[in-house]
Amino acid sequence: MGIVSRFKKEKPYIVHTHTPKAGTIGMIASYLAKVPHRLHTIAGLPLLEATGKKEYFLIL
């Protein structure tokens, strides 16, 4: 069973991902399965090393 079909079967209200690979796969799959709320948390090095506009964007 693929992730899209799993989401369609389970009908989650929200999908929340953390890692880059899970974020890419999870967000695409949840979009295709029409999950109403999708959230990806960016944390770690990209946020710690960012400055200026990039830091502001990542915090948002």
Side-chain angles (χ1 to χ4, degrees):
M1 178 179 285
I3 191 168
V4 175
S5 59
R6 173 67 67 157
F7 285 160
K8 285 182 177 181
K9 180 182 176 189
E10 298 292 328
K11 296 181 176 129
Y13 181 71
I14 187 169
V15 171
H16 183 197
T17 59
H18 295 276
T19 63
K21 185 175 181 180
T24 302
I25 294 169
M27 292 298 110
I28 292 170
S30 59
Y31 175 80
L32 293 173
K34 298 179 182 171
V35 175
H37 299 279
R38 298 174 297 277
L39 174 69
H40 178 73
T41 301
I42 299 173
L45 287 177
L47 183 57
L48 293 175
E49 295 180 351
T51 59
K53 290 180 182 179
K54 184 176 180 181
E55 179 184 24
Y56 177 76
F57 178 76
L58 290 174
I59 290 171
L60 288 176

